[in-house]
Amino acid sequence: MKFTYFDSYDTMSRAAAEVFYEATKGRSAPCVVLATGQSPLGLYRNLAAARRAYPHLRVVKLDEWLGLSMDHPSTCEYFLQKEFLGPLGIRPEHYLSFNSQPADPDRECARISDRLRQIPVIDL
């Protein structure tokens, strides 16, 4: 494992955007698992500002808050829609998300597990 140190969050975010681009370019259907929060926000905003096209990018949402409505501003769904999916134009059929208010949480977890098993490779 290689560690790289940066003098600022902005510099790190720009470098992370380049790593993201390099890891996904040239792949027919790259797949990334995305977290939410302040840590990856600079990366997401740098990717959006670069205006590179990601027409075949597949995205898996890492986590969610159980019990909040999907459109609640505190959900991971809301964050990813606003900061990544919308700005990068990710198509809904290329996005694996789970429901934050499922009638049966165990069944929702099983659905996601089944879908994850269908993904041949996760690139990032």
Side-chain angles (χ1 to χ4, degrees):
M1 180 180 295
K2 178 184 173 191
F3 289 94
T4 305
Y5 297 90
F6 297 94
D7 61 355
S8 72
Y9 176 78
D10 291 335
T11 303
M12 182 216 42
S13 296
R14 285 191 301 276
E18 192 57 34
V19 168
F20 184 100
Y21 174 71
E22 290 298 321
T24 59
K25 78 175 183 180
R27 301 195 188 286
S28 60
C31 182
V32 298
V33 177
L34 299 181
T36 60
Q38 294 302 305
S39 297
L41 186 56
L43 162 64
Y44 300 163
R45 289 184 175 168
N46 273 278
L47 290 170
R51 301 200 185 278
R52 289 179 170 148
Y54 294 95
H56 303 295
L57 183 68
R58 299 191 181 282
V59 174
V60 177
K61 180 172 63 170
L62 177 65
D63 51 3
E64 188 55 85
W65 296 103
L66 181 64
L68 295 177
S69 66
M70 292 292 280
D71 60 350
H72 191 284
S74 294
T75 61
C76 301
E77 182 72 22
Y78 184 91
F79 180 93
L80 284 179
Q81 291 290 342
K82 178 183 172 201
E83 300 294 346
F84 190 89
L85 302 168
L88 271 68
I90 304 301
R91 298 191 319 239
E93 64 269 21
H94 288 182
Y95 176 52
L96 176 55
S97 171
F98 40 94
N99 187 346
S100 60
Q101 289 186 306
D104 182 346
D106 290 330
R107 190 169 168 185
E108 181 67 356
C109 289
R111 180 184 73 84
I112 293 297
S113 292
D114 289 343
R115 292 281 308 277
L116 286 171
R117 281 192 279 283
Q118 296 170 19
I119 298 172
V121 174
I122 294 176
D123 298 291
L124 285 173

